[in-house]
Amino acid sequence: MPPSARRHEPGGAAIEIEGLTLTHAYRRHPTLRDVSLHVAPGERVLLLGPSGSGKTSLALCLNGIIPQSVPASIDGSIALAGRPVGKEPPGVWAETIAFVFQDPDSQLCTLTVEDEIAFALENRALPPSEIDGRIDAALDRVGLPRAWRQRASRFLSGGEKQKLLLAAALAQEAPIHLFDETTAHLDPASTLEAYGLIARVMAERPGASALFIDHRLDRLLPLIDRVALLDGEGRLVLTAPPAALFHDHRAAVAATGAWEPLAAALFGFLREAGLALAQRPLTMDEVPAMLSHVAQSSRDRDRLMGLVGQWLAARRFPAPAASGPLLLRAEAIGYAPRGGPTLLAGVDLEIRGGEILGIVGANGAGKSTLGLILAGLLRPSTGRLHGPDGPPPPGGFLFQNPEHQFLAVTVAGELAASPGAEGQQHLEAALDRLGMQGKRDLHPFQLSQGEKRRLSLEALMLAPARPLLVLDEPSFGLDAAGTENLMRQIAALRQSGRAILLITHDMDLAAALCDRLAVMSRGRLLKVDRSDAIFGDDALLAAARLRPPETQALEAWLDARAA
Amino acid sequence: MLAPLERRRLGRLNPLSKLALAGAFLAASSLVFEPRFQLAAILAALLPLILLDGASPLGLLWRLWPFALVGLGYLWLNLAFFDRAAAYTWTSAAVPVAQNPALFAGTTLFLRAIALGAISLFFVRTTDPADFLRSLMLRCRLPARWGFALLAAFQFLPGLAEQLRLLRLAQAQRRGVQPQGWAQRLAGYRRLAIPLLADSIRRADRAAIAMEARGLRHPLTRSSLRLSPFGWADGLFLATGLALLAALYFSLG
């Protein structure tokens, strides 16, 4: 049911937040400042903001986990379903608000599927017969077979685990749901399935309110009634329906550094170029039809197409005109840990200097294992790596968790710790590039997620004689501004002649940066080809559980028009 | 391949009845210094697994090799230090079964190490950890937050080894060299401790928040979807087991 067709139920608000100011213990500055937000029964609100804007903190205040379990000082008031959230234990609110968080592995409280769904219901002391019925109903709703009740949850895939956690949240039958970056760890196909599932189950419960925290907007916005925009200082800048916020207040969104939907970005660009457009699309699926309509009725048809092509081109970092020299050749690479299953088999690959090669595939396809081998950190069980004149060149690997790589206790020390990066001149230049002169004496763990990622990449770049760099999910958890910075940093690396291997689930990032893509599935390399050829192969994408980038339909539209 | 735990005969028994009997056998095995008793305890633990649950004898022996290794150490020590072992044997054993006192003591200790392993193996292989913790929470008043914290730790342990592996790789590549010698390796582990601790605390935080958000600290007393009942099979199992233990104790102890 589209948001406009769903009527919000009359009566008091489901969530009432008044003048909430939150300061975490041992922090000088508030994380949230004077936030007031009302969510009506049946309303679906997206909480949007850059990294560190306090979105998850706000969510954890709703049931009192902050400040009761996570120490903090709080001013203001919160009420759920008309009851003030006071000093009761957070657990009592489980019948009113059901949470699904981002990392499925950290949320599993028990060992089997049925125990996981039963957990919240047992805590509320519901009778076993009722729990039993709710488990079956919840499994049916998310499409997991009842026969899986006794299955160990650790053997489920990432997408199945997230379905299980959604089932557990639905079984709570709470009037309010909170989804905190629920799809962040999922591959593209699982992400699409998860959004479809959330849309379906929420449509079955029109009276239930939901608060979403997410930055993958294109698939989520059709569910959303209203967006609440937070800035980096934790202030609520404005709340508005999605179309109004992303089309009428585009500058306000951009000023916060939060993500905006691609469709709004495109139409904003076209309006700024002088085209008068009444349409306000929120998803890229809507865009081709709207543009066709505009093209038919507009005298500026050619200009429109030129501008669309310009916008698409601006999203891409140009590939070098000629391919660089051969840097590394992998022949029949395989890997199986001692006593473990085969993780990689028969991988043949060539990497050239100055190229960005994307490695894409579903969760567990073997992407990170291949990256570790190509970077020289894992010895392959079978096969060989060759450099142009013999042994393979030394590589660097940017781990998903940047904290893994930190060696020093200050930002400056971290940069200076790279072998071969000694010298004050190098250090100052690196701090300038990162914009971290003012943070040089902070512990690296104190930086924001985006800053940690950029620091770890810069430290890796400083080490000389590493012509190959492997970046494992470098954009994970970053906001729009952080991702933009990172993309520029990666593009600059390519200019220096190094080869970059980019492991990612973000197909738009891959389309923007990668010259070629290597598609993996279940430990095997299915195909290596130019990015546009890969994204045009529907059968291959389906086999590897991938999706084309959101701009694919627009490119097809442009090509058809040009033809 | 073994059937799932809940479909095996011993897997259906109440975890607490198995804990009680395993505890009694462990205590007796620790107290009785007699090789035939230890051998009987090993057979008492392993034969039900083979006969009732269809476990592979070779598979069971493979799992017992660390205990056998410890036992061999005891055996060697007794044979190597004959006089001290003899003195201990003559004052502790009522009826020596071997003419060589060092061999007697060494064999007893060797078999005791395996017996302790076999009894533990019996309990671990026949008991679902979630059922066991649930029984402890509901029947022995183990606080739910401790019970589920233990379950969460049980899930995290395999991931911890993977985290450590990644940390070692990450730091080795930053330094550009692999640590050489014990001193460097020790220093390397010390440096890994902080990120590993930070990562573990963060994961534990996330798990605790997820549990609390789903009502773990609810003021009501938890209900339970299913609780392993005490049935006639438990009574038979306990009675048979304790009778066997008493017979072994009085005949061989």
Side-chain angles (χ1 to χ4, degrees), chain A residues 173-199:
Chain A
E173 294 186 2
I176 306 168
H177 285 271
L178 194 138
F179 300 98
D180 186 355
E181 301 226 30
T182 305
T183 61
H185 287 255
L186 302 184
D187 57 55
S190 301
T191 299
L192 193 69
E193 285 170 14
Y195 283 133
L197 181 59
I198 290 172

Side-chain angles (χ1 to χ4, degrees), chain A residues 60 63 65 69 89 91-92 94-95 103 106-111 114-116 119-120 122-126 128 131 135 168 377-378 396-397 399 401 403-407 414 418-419 445 459 466, chain B residues 6 128-130 134 148 151 154-156 163 165-167 169-171 173-176 194-195 198-199 202-203 206-207 209-226:
Chain A
L60 296 181
N63 61 355
I65 285 181
S69 299
V92 301
E95 51 206 82
D103 178 10
S106 300
Q107 301 175 63
L108 292 171
C109 306
T110 65
L111 303 182
E114 81 170 5
D115 283 348
E116 197 58 42
F119 179 76
E122 290 174 331
N123 288 333
R124 282 159 59 183
L126 294 184
I131 295 175
I135 291 172
L377 296 183
L378 267 188
F397 192 98
F399 285 77
N401 183 351
E403 290 178 1
H404 283 170
Q405 297 177 221
F406 292 147
L407 300 174
E414 187 58 35
S418 287
F445 281 36
R466 275 189 182 152
Chain B
E6 70 279 3
D128 173 42
R134 193 183 287 115
F148 283 103
L151 266 185
F154 183 77
Q155 303 215 67
F156 281 179
Q163 286 296 97
R165 187 182 74 91
L166 288 178
L167 271 169
L169 287 174
Q171 302 229 336
Q173 71 143 353
R174 280 297 314 283
R175 286 174 204 292
I194 292 173
D199 202 58
R202 225 169 266 142
R203 285 179 59 134
R206 286 199 292 263
I209 284 172
M211 286 185 194
E212 210 159 15
R214 289 161 68 187
L216 182 60
R217 281 202 294 155
H218 201 287
L220 295 174
T221 305
R222 296 183 92 244
S223 60
S224 181
L225 173 63
R226 56 189 161 81

Side-chain angles (χ1 to χ4, degrees), chain B residues 186-210:
Chain B
L186 270 178
Y189 277 115
R190 203 183 62 230
R191 276 190 289 267
L192 293 181
I194 292 173
L196 189 65
L197 190 67
D199 202 58
S200 302
I201 289 173
R202 225 169 266 142
R203 285 179 59 134
D205 261 354
R206 286 199 292 263
I209 284 172

